[in-house]
Amino acid sequence: MNENVENLILTQLRELREGQRNIGDKLEKGLADVSGEVAELRQMIGGQGVILTSIAGYVHQVENRVEKLEGADE
């Protein structure tokens, strides 16, 4: 093979390898970003669960008080 053709092929292979490396780096960064966002969502959902449990407890207390008041009227 002609030396110019070999150099051209090697240049193209280097560019392909560099492109693959760049794509890999972008994918790794994207996955890290997504993982971080999922962790944040889990924390938020956990916090919402605590709030909902507190609200449910309060509603239960209010229902008990209303039942007692309604029973006192009879």
Side-chain angles (χ1 to χ4, degrees):
M1 223 186 285
N2 177 326
E3 188 175 324
N4 288 336
V5 173
E6 288 178 8
N7 287 338
L8 182 60
I9 291 171
L10 289 174
T11 300
Q12 292 297 313
L13 289 173
R14 283 187 197 105
E15 288 177 6
L16 285 171
R17 211 176 303 143
E18 181 64 26
Q20 287 176 334
R21 208 173 298 127
N22 289 340
I23 289 171
D25 292 345
K26 288 178 183 178
L27 282 174
E28 284 182 34
K29 184 185 180 313
L31 287 174
D33 291 346
V34 168
S35 294
E37 290 175 11
V38 168
E40 287 178 29
L41 285 172
R42 284 184 178 157
Q43 287 178 338
M44 290 172 57
I45 289 169
Q48 296 298 318
V50 169
I51 291 170
L52 288 174
T53 301
S54 297
I55 291 171
Y58 180 74
V59 167
H60 182 70
Q61 289 175 352
V62 169
E63 287 174 345
N64 286 340
R65 290 173 62 192
V66 168
E67 284 177 11
K68 286 179 185 177
L69 290 171
E70 287 175 345
D73 287 344
E74 293 177 5

